[in-house]
Amino acid sequence: MPRLAGAFLIAVFAVLPSEAFAQSGKPLILSITNAASYSTGPISPGEMVTIFGSSLGPAGLVNLTLDGQGRIATSLSEVQILFDGVAAPLLYVSQNQLSAMVPYAIAGRQSSQVQAVYRDVASNAFSKTVALSAPGIFTADSSGKRIAAAINGDGTVNTTSNPVTPGSYLTLFLTGEGQTNPPGIDGNIASSTANTVLPVSVRLGGRLVQSLYTGSAPGNVNGFAQLNVAIPADLPFGGNLPLGVQIGEAFSQPELTVAVAGPPAPLPGTPQLLQVVITPSNQIALTIAVDNKPNMRVHIERGVGAGAFSEIASVLVPANVIPPTQASLTFTDQDVTMGTQYNYRIRAEGDYGFSGYSNTVGASVPTPQVSPPSNVQSVAVSQIEVKLTWNAANTNATNFQIERKTGAAGTYAPLATVPNTQTTYQDVTVVANTAYVYRMRSQSSSGLSGYSNESSVSTPALPLPPAPVIQASAVSSSQIHLSWISTATGILRFRIERRASTGQYAEINQPGPTATAFDDLGLNMATVYSYRIRVETSAGLSPYSNETTATTMQGLPAAPTNLTGVAPSSTQVNLAWTNNARDATAIRVESQAAGSASFTDIGGAASLITAGLTSLLPNTNYRFRVRAQSSAGFSGYSNEAVVTTLPPPKTVFLVHGLNQTHLDMKNLALNLASPYGLAAGRFTVDYGFDFSDCVESNPRSCGSTCTIPGGAQRLAQHIVDANPPGDVVVIGFSLGGLIARDMIANNRIILNGRKIDLVTIGTPNLGYPYLPTDSLVFCSAIVSAMDGNWRAQAGSVRLSNYLFSLTNQWSNYGFPGNGRVWFAASGRAIGTPTRLGSGCKDTNPFSDGVVCQDSAAYNVTTSAGTQPNRSWDDPNRIYVHSFSGVTSLILGNTSDQIKYMPLYDPPPVPGGLFSTLTAILNQM
């Protein structure tokens, strides 16, 4: 498509007519016209319009500027034009005239209220009807008539002396074409073509011609269009042929031509005014003679008194008038005033143009005998009421007709008819801050009188509403919430304006009269925005509110990564992760237990990098995930961590040996529960069982209640009272091993499905003297239970059946559990210990705790499988069983007892025997 539209657009700015109006302080809109045709009819979306008035802008003409988006700016030299509150792109502004592009947003409306704002002062609201299209063709002399501004097919300007050649094409320029496809954008400079949505038809010399393209003109603002038409090669005539363009249901302006090469076209003959008569209803009827040709139309013009002629009607000649060469028409002028001289002339319009004017004929409707009211006066009683008074004497009227117009340039319309006895009238249909003009006339049986004097009045302006109070707060990275308070009454709407940083304010929304809040969406994150608001009533716009500022939030926080978890116990999981969100205010933890269909938010973590979760189910598989939370919202989720809680902890019961109490187990219990002992979370240690029946300090001997079955029952009751949740491990030391073994072997305890394991370390000395103090303790009940003291039988040695049963064949007892450990501690040999003067030479590599030379001297042998299934060999070859007051299980002479206590040597260097014991337990 040709790209010459820009030249014509500039030309339009330069040659638009300027009218002088009286200057006042407040902007005033007097008329809004199509910028090409100067038609005052409806406006259409995207149309270029010219607005006339006063105080509309600066004294000198200021041309358009482009905004930051490369579009025509909507604010120019402190001027804005608002169509229903939407700011329009401005082409130029001046004091009495400006030009704007109608916003496409008015599409679909019946009408639009137009206001001019200059230096924050708003004009009157000027109402315009809205149509889908309102085409106006730009003309060569910017008059809206005569030859169109057009480009011939060879690129030259179309003029009478440079007509377009039939068979080529012509480019015209227009505005008011309506919406395009793709849709037009307010103020946008078209970079490519966009077709008009509505259908387009073009007539040239009365003939329908082909439209090649109608739409945006590349390089020009959306709404300034071009029209390419094909000039038929078989046109019979040339000259300045009439041009008519129809877009949708709307037509371009009349008296529009383009120059076409060819022989001059025949113009219609000049019509004649045959007769002018006054009708009985005081109207003027014209009889017209005109050629009867196809598409013939008669244009009727009238002059009032000595005034200029203007067209008052256009009449199409009927196609079937007889005789065929001549038509006679009648036209009645109903808008006449009695006593006023009217002059009429006519001309015919055919397919090829206009005829000359006819003869001029004058006429006047005689003034009736009735007289109009006199001394008509109007007074503004308030902003919304005007009082009329008049003198009715000598009028001979039966009633009075009152007419009113708005402003000096308005058109009179009937207001009311009142009886002839009435001399006042209250007009309560007026609005504030508006000029009105009134006139009256009398009516009688003889007709209507002439009009009375005119009376002008202006209603006072309503007081401007008070300014609202507004505040803003950021909701997210793209949203700011506004709220306001207004004490104004009669609110029409609110007008919200916004600017970013130090930019200019622009209106962004018009909430309704009852609104108190607005959410501004789609903003940039971490950006400062300022807002102000005005309230609009029928009195106008209030002053601006306070300025309020808010900064949008940052974007959503970054998601955590590297989530890991460990279970230190049966009810706790510890989580750790990498926090990647500097703005995080919390880390939310979600869990999903095995069998659950979804994750559950279990709360915020104690810190931004770790969380300790308690009160979990034992031996249960959990999935965890975390996400960061900030004032902007939530991040995405981290990776998932799968953790299984530990089973319920085993309870280790320590059972002391002969001639000891539970306090002898305390240090061992503390070491087992230390970081150098049992695996954390898997065990608890109980050393509370006390079988002091087997130690009496005075006299130092075993009491009668010191029996293995009695101890086994007491131990079973202690375990039941402690009521641990998980499995049970019993460590029986010396005599404690016999008690625990009896409890298991004879099923003296019921654990309801829980397992019980046993570690037995050695067997009791039974009072056989190794040290002098040993002879003070003799446990006869235990010896009896073990079928006698085999070492006291002369001439023969016999191990009792009880001792024979000290094997690792625990399965024979069928008790729940799988951890039966007979643990023997051996020193293999000893130097020169004393036993009442005779040496002890026990070399048994697996001692059962009953030591010294008797077991070796009688060369006792046992069958396979009777040996302890775990043992510890003391590298120092020290061989001491135990001594009162501590749990040592030291194998060696008494001189080593103080310095060598391997079962509870303080960490971090526990004794070798302690390490072996904890290894046995940790493997269970």
Side-chain angles (χ1 to χ4, degrees), residues 642-811:
V642 180
V643 185
T644 302
T645 52
L646 298 178
K650 296 177 184 291
T651 302
V652 177
F653 289 91
L654 301 180
V655 184
H656 62 79
L658 184 67
N659 199 28
Q660 293 179 319
T661 70
H662 72 288
L663 294 177
D664 293 302
M665 300 286 107
K666 180 177 180 181
N667 285 333
L668 176 59
L670 293 176
N671 276 350
L672 288 175
S674 75
Y676 302 97
L678 302 179
R682 291 191 56 220
F683 298 92
T684 59
V685 181
D686 185 309
Y687 66 94
F689 174 72
D690 191 352
F691 194 46
S692 297
D693 303 55
C694 291
V695 55
E696 295 181 9
S697 59
N698 190 19
R700 192 172 180 81
S701 64
C702 293
S704 61
T705 58
C706 177
T707 66
I708 293 174
Q713 292 173 350
R714 292 263 291 275
L715 176 59
Q717 188 62 49
H718 176 78
I719 294 174
V720 170
D721 291 342
N723 192 27
D727 294 343
V728 171
V729 179
V730 179
I731 300 179
F733 172 70
S734 186
L735 172 64
L738 299 179
I739 293 173
R741 186 172 175 280
D742 180 272
M743 178 187 70
I744 295 172
N746 294 290
N747 291 335
R748 301 183 187 278
I749 184 170
I750 304 301
L751 296 178
N752 294 323
R754 289 178 289 148
K755 296 178 180 180
I756 185 167
D757 298 328
L758 173 63
V759 177
T760 176
I761 308 178
T763 55
N765 198 344
L766 303 178
Y768 185 82
Y770 172 71
L771 299 175
T773 55
D774 287 344
S775 62
L776 300 177
V777 181
F778 186 82
C779 297
S780 60
I782 295 177
V783 170
S784 175
M786 297 176 67
D787 199 14
N789 186 352
W790 58 272
R791 290 166 292 182
Q793 296 180 14
S796 66
V797 174
R798 178 176 62 85
L799 290 178
S800 68
N801 293 332
Y802 195 94
L803 289 178
F804 267 129
S805 68
L806 293 178
T807 71
N808 61 349
Q809 299 172 355
W810 298 102
S811 59

Side-chain angles (χ1 to χ4, degrees), residues 592-617:
Q592 181 185 31
S596 175
S598 60
F599 280 90
T600 300
D601 188 318
I602 58 176
S607 76
L608 296 179
I609 56 174
T610 60
L613 310 179
T614 58
S615 301
L616 302 178
L617 298 176

Side-chain angles (χ1 to χ4, degrees), residues 137-410:
I137 309 299
F138 287 98
T139 59
D141 60 2
S142 298
S143 66
K145 297 181 179 181
R146 295 179 287 277
I147 193 165
I151 303 297
N152 295 328
D154 60 2
T156 61
V157 178
N158 182 263
T159 64
T160 302
S161 60
N162 186 40
V164 65
T165 302
S168 65
Y169 69 91
L170 188 72
T171 299
L172 302 165
F173 302 95
L174 67 149
T175 189
E177 74 277 15
Q179 189 55 277
T180 60
N181 182 24
I185 300 173
D186 293 344
N188 187 57
I189 305 301
S191 60
S192 61
T193 59
N195 292 293
T196 299
V197 173
L198 295 172
V200 178
S201 63
V202 181
R203 286 188 174 273
L204 179 63
R207 178 174 174 177
L208 191 64
V209 299
Q210 182 182 7
S211 171
L212 301 175
Y213 167 77
T214 307
S216 61
N220 284 276
V221 65
N222 287 166
F224 180 88
Q226 71 182 63
L227 166 63
N228 296 347
V229 297
I231 307 300
D234 58 349
L235 283 179
F237 303 106
N240 290 343
L241 299 184
L243 174 71
V245 177
Q246 180 181 359
I247 300 180
E249 300 296 325
F251 294 87
S252 61
Q253 71 266 34
E255 298 189 54
L256 190 66
T257 63
V258 294
V260 180
L267 298 178
T270 302
Q272 290 182 304
L273 273 172
L274 300 179
Q275 189 178 26
V276 177
V277 298
I278 307 301
T279 68
S281 59
N282 292 324
Q283 297 172 340
I284 299 176
L286 308 178
T287 302
I288 302 167
V290 63
D291 290 344
N292 185 21
K293 295 181 178 179
N295 303 320
M296 189 66 67
R297 181 176 292 275
V298 176
H299 295 268
I300 303 167
E301 297 183 4
R302 184 184 72 181
V304 180
F309 284 96
S310 62
E311 185 173 301
I312 61 172
S314 174
V315 181
L316 183 66
V317 177
N320 58 351
V321 175
I322 300 175
T325 59
Q326 190 73 37
S328 179
L329 305 176
T330 300
F331 170 77
T332 300
D333 186 3
Q334 300 176 353
D335 185 23
V336 295
T337 301
M338 288 178 288
T340 300
Q341 176 66 34
Y342 296 98
N343 299 311
Y344 298 90
R345 69 182 185 183
I346 60 176
R347 61 174 175 167
E349 180 187 7
D351 287 342
Y352 298 109
F354 290 89
S355 70
Y357 281 104
S358 70
N359 54 314
T360 298
V361 177
S364 176
V365 178
T367 303
Q369 296 299 317
V370 64
S371 301
S374 60
N375 195 28
V376 176
Q377 301 290 329
S378 57
V379 176
V381 178
S382 70
Q383 291 98 338
I384 57 172
E385 183 178 354
V386 170
K387 181 179 181 181
L388 295 178
T389 61
W390 62 86
N391 188 342
N394 303 317
T395 60
N396 296 323
T398 57
N399 56 57
F400 299 114
Q401 295 181 353
I402 305 173
E403 296 181 4
R404 185 189 72 188
K405 66 178 179 179
T406 302

Side-chain angles (χ1 to χ4, degrees), residues 818-838:
N818 56 12
R820 308 291 182 249
V821 179
W822 178 12
F823 183 29
S826 173
R828 288 186 175 274
I830 195 164
T832 56
T834 60
R835 176 181 175 273
L836 299 179
S838 61

